[in-house]
């Protein structure tokens, strides 16, 4: 009977394959820029992040079963050698017992989560997740945080609307400019991105208290905003374009956006207050909503007044967005809302949860995402001013967003399953193997018993023998 049973040893390799893999991370190499994606765990993450040769990190928190994570992996692998010396890339497997504490520390809830690390600080990656956007981001972060310009036009082209500042998300089309006519008279051409040029830039910023504060905040918020300094050689005509008049020598710090009035910072010259100013004002007059900035915009503390447009109908869209800009600058309720635009065709799946008719655009949607409320009325005028006035007067009532986050016991069960999916699959497969193994054993025992004479057979044989006798 024993010989007919499968050897337990034959099952051990299968079970080993089903168990969670041991961490593959080893002691990480330091002192040289990384040209491959690094595997990070508790054992090596501190050494990796504190390596002076790799001062900027893109960290991908993921799970092996996550489809979006798998889709992103080849992009990061191809980027790693191209960005060596500018941006190091690290993978953190949140299902690995050696890496899970890192995920817990950063309260990772979804996969993949991308975070940036620099100068001891972690923050969410603010851009889109395609290769071009991430490369633009890395290029921007590898440059000095402040660009010195000589004119208003240079500020618009080199700070406000540069390629490196695009695709970042919140703050697209916005720049922060400082001016101090009493700063060091260093030639504009001497300030650059090479070693000598960076030294000249540091000397220039250090010559003014206002510029020192500006440079500190620029370094801290470089990932999410764009910063420039107007050179003291700027003409009176250029200063007037910035709204600096009457011989004002500064220091002046301001928010600049093309075709929008300059917003001057009037707070104390200290880093915390100016940092708060940048974060509060790092929003375009009309922000283009996309997947990379929707959550951040929703957390700004005000409802989003969204102009839903048909991107293919450029004439109607441009006219409607211009109306939205005029209201955002001069409308009576402009301070209550953040004004945005959204392509109704691109975002059709998102808009399905609202009574927005994608065949009847443009339209206005007022959304308070944190409180799961919205205001919309397709039958009323799409004039933004009329719509917001009707909201204020109660003619358009708030509706409850019913497709919010799941809740209740079944939702909790579903979340638990998704959070532990890998281990649940392993347990199920092992259970199936065990049941199959026991079935084989039982089958083996039955085969052995059937080969032995049964009492019934013996009785029949005895009876047949007696009859013959």
């Amino acid at each position: 009977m024993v010989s007919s049973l499968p050897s337990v040893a034959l099952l051990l390799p299968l079970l080993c394959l089903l168990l969670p893999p041991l961490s593959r991370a080893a002691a990480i190499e330091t002192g040289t820029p990384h040209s491959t994606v690094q595997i990070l765990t508790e054992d090596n993450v501190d050494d990796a992040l504190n390596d002076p040769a790799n001062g900027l990190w893109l960290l991908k928190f993921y799970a092996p079963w996550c489809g979006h994570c798998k889709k992103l992996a080849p992009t990061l692998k191809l980027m790693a050698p191209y960005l060596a010396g500018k941006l190091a890339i690290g993978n953190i497997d949140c299902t690995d017992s050696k890496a899970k504490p890192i995920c817990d520390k950063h309260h990772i809830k979804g996969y993949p989560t991308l975070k940036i690390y620099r100068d001891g600080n972690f923050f969410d990656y603010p851009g889109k997740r395609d290769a071009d956007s991430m490369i633009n981001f890395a290029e921007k972060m590898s440059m000095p945080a402040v660009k010195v310009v000589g004119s208003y036009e240079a500020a618009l082209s080199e700070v406000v609307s540069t390629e490196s500042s695009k695709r970042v998300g919140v703050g697209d089309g916005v720049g922060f400019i400082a001016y101090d006519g009493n700063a060091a008279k260093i030639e504009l051409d001497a300030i650059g991105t090479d070693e000598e040029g960076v030294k000249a830039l540091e000397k220039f910023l250090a010559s003014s208290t206002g510029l020192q504060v500006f440079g500190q905040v620029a370094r801290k918020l470089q990932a999410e905003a764009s910063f420039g300094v107007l050179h003291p050689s700027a003409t009176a005509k250029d200063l007037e374009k910035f709204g600096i008049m009457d011989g004002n020598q500064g220091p002046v710090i301001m928010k600049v956006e093309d075709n929008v009035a300059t917003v001057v910072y009037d707070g104390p010259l200290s880093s915390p207050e100016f940092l708060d100013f940048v974060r509060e004002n790092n929003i375009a007059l009309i922000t283009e909503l996309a997947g990379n900035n929707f959550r951040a915009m929703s957390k700004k503390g005000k409802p989003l007044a969204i102009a839903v447009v048909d991107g293919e109908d450029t004439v109607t869209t441009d006219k409607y967005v211009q109306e939205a800009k005029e209201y955002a600058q001069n409308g009576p309720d402009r301070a209550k809302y953040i004004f945005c635009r959204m392509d109704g065709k691109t975002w059709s799946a998102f808009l399905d949860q609202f009574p927005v008719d994608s065949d009847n655009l443009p339209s206005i949607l007022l959304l308070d995402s944190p409180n799961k409320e919205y205001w919309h009325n397709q039958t009323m005028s799409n004039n933004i001013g009329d719509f917001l006035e009707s909201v204020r007067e109660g003619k358009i009532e708030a509706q409850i967003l019913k497709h919010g986050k799941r809740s209740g016991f079944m939702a909790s069960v579903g979340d638990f399953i998704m959070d532990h999916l890998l281990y649940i699959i392993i347990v199920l497969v092992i259970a199936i193997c065990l049941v199959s193994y026991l079935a084989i054993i039982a089958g083996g025992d039955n085969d052995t018993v059937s080969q032995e004479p049964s009492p019934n057979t013996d009785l029949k044989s005895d009876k047949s023998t007696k009859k013959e006798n």
Side-chain angles (χ1 to χ4, degrees):
M1 178 176 73
V2 174
S3 62
S4 66
L5 299 180
S7 172
V8 175
L10 295 177
L11 294 176
L12 291 178
L14 175 62
L15 295 177
C16 290
L17 289 173
L18 295 173
L19 293 175
L22 296 176
S23 173
R24 294 173 290 147
I28 200 161
E29 182 181 353
T30 58
T32 57
H34 296 304
S35 59
T36 59
V37 177
Q38 303 296 299
I39 299 172
L40 302 182
T41 69
E42 272 200 312
D43 295 335
N44 63 15
V45 67
D46 289 339
D47 291 338
L49 300 184
N50 292 322
D51 179 13
N54 297 279
L56 178 67
W57 282 85
L58 173 65
L59 303 175
K60 182 182 101 170
F61 295 83
Y62 76 103
W65 46 262
C66 164
H68 291 296
C69 304
K70 294 177 182 178
K71 185 177 180 181
L72 183 61
T75 300
L76 298 182
K77 183 178 180 180
L78 290 173
M79 286 171 49
Y82 181 80
L83 295 176
K86 296 179 180 179
L87 177 74
I89 302 174
N91 277 349
I92 301 174
D93 181 357
C94 294
T95 68
D96 185 341
S97 60
K98 287 279 191 176
K100 191 175 185 302
I102 307 174
C103 304
D104 293 340
K105 177 181 178 181
H106 293 284
H107 308 290
I108 303 301
K109 300 296 183 184
Y111 306 120
T113 292
L114 300 183
K115 287 187 176 288
I116 299 297
Y117 173 85
R118 186 171 76 172
D119 297 343
N121 297 311
F122 295 87
F123 50 89
D124 292 335
Y125 166 69
K128 296 180 180 178
R129 296 182 177 185
D130 61 279
D132 287 344
S133 298
M134 289 189 282
I135 289 172
N136 280 340
F137 174 82
E139 297 283 357
K140 175 186 178 183
M141 295 296 289
S142 66
M143 303 290 284
V146 173
K147 173 73 176 178
V148 181
V149 296
S151 67
Y152 181 79
E153 286 71 24
L156 292 181
S157 63
E158 298 179 36
V159 179
V160 175
S161 301
T162 62
E163 281 300 317
S164 61
S165 69
K166 291 179 180 178
R167 301 190 183 94
V168 171
V170 176
D172 283 356
V174 172
F176 294 88
I177 305 294
Y179 170 75
D180 191 338
N182 298 314
K185 302 300 187 287
I186 297 176
E187 291 295 327
L188 181 59
D189 292 341
I191 301 173
T193 58
D194 59 4
E195 185 176 353
E196 292 301 318
V198 171
K199 288 181 179 179
L201 172 62
E202 292 173 348
K203 182 178 179 181
F204 175 66
L205 296 178
S207 68
S208 160
T209 300
L211 296 187
Q212 286 180 28
V213 171
F214 187 82
Q216 291 167 2
V217 173
R219 172 74 179 181
K220 190 172 185 66
L221 299 183
Q222 185 179 3
E224 54 190 276
S226 298
F227 299 86
V229 172
L230 183 63
H231 194 267
S233 63
T235 65
K237 186 176 181 180
D238 273 311
L239 293 175
E240 186 176 345
K241 292 179 181 178
F242 284 102
I244 303 173
M245 295 177 286
D246 301 326
N248 184 356
Q249 292 297 299
V252 179
I253 300 175
M254 52 206 151
K255 168 192 173 182
V256 176
E257 185 177 354
D258 194 13
N259 292 320
V260 177
T262 297
V263 179
V264 177
Y265 170 67
D266 58 2
L269 285 177
S270 61
S271 294
E273 285 79 7
F274 177 53
L275 187 145
D276 290 341
F277 172 81
V278 171
R279 283 183 166 156
E280 181 179 347
N281 289 275
N282 191 32
I283 306 172
L285 188 66
I286 304 291
T287 298
E288 177 80 29
L289 287 179
N292 62 304
N293 67 359
F294 179 81
R295 181 175 297 180
M297 294 298 294
S298 298
K299 294 180 178 179
K300 287 291 184 179
K302 296 179 181 179
L304 305 182
I306 306 170
V308 184
V309 298
D310 181 355
E312 297 177 357
D313 185 354
T314 56
V315 175
T316 303
T317 293
D318 290 347
K319 181 180 178 181
Y320 195 67
V321 170
Q322 184 58 39
E323 292 176 6
K325 281 187 175 182
E326 291 174 0
Y327 188 93
Q329 291 184 87
N330 305 307
D333 294 323
R334 63 187 182 279
K336 296 180 180 179
Y337 309 113
I338 294 174
F339 293 86
C340 312
R341 59 177 287 178
M342 173 186 289
D343 189 324
K345 304 295 186 181
T346 302
W347 282 68
S348 58
F350 170 80
L351 291 171
D352 282 345
Q353 59 191 314
F354 307 101
V356 176
D357 184 1
S358 59
D359 295 325
N360 187 23
L361 299 178
S363 183
I364 181 75
L365 171 68
L366 187 60
L367 176 62
D368 184 352
S369 188
N371 293 319
K372 295 183 171 54
E373 291 183 331
Y374 71 92
W375 294 257
H376 179 77
N377 192 319
Q378 193 75 43
T379 62
M380 294 187 66
S381 169
N382 280 332
N383 179 277
I384 293 174
D386 293 343
F387 175 85
L388 293 179
E389 181 180 354
S390 296
V391 170
R392 175 172 20 98
E393 294 177 352
K395 295 178 181 178
I396 300 178
E397 297 182 350
Q399 304 293 318
I400 303 299
L401 184 59
K402 297 180 180 179
H403 297 280
K405 188 176 179 179
R406 298 177 304 161
S407 61
F409 173 76
M410 293 306 297
S412 300
V413 171
D415 292 340
F416 177 86
I417 291 174
M418 293 306 299
D419 289 342
H420 303 83
L421 185 60
L422 178 63
Y423 296 101
I424 291 173
I425 292 174
I426 291 170
V427 170
L428 288 174
V429 173
I430 292 176
I432 292 171
C433 291
L434 182 60
V435 170
S436 300
Y437 179 76
L438 293 175
I440 292 172
I441 292 176
D445 288 343
N446 290 336
D447 290 342
T448 304
V449 169
S450 65
Q451 295 173 7
E452 297 176 355
S454 67
N456 292 335
T457 303
D458 287 343
L459 289 172
K460 290 178 180 179
S461 299
D462 289 344
K463 291 178 180 178
S464 299
T465 304
K466 288 178 181 178
K467 286 181 179 179
E468 290 176 0
N469 292 333

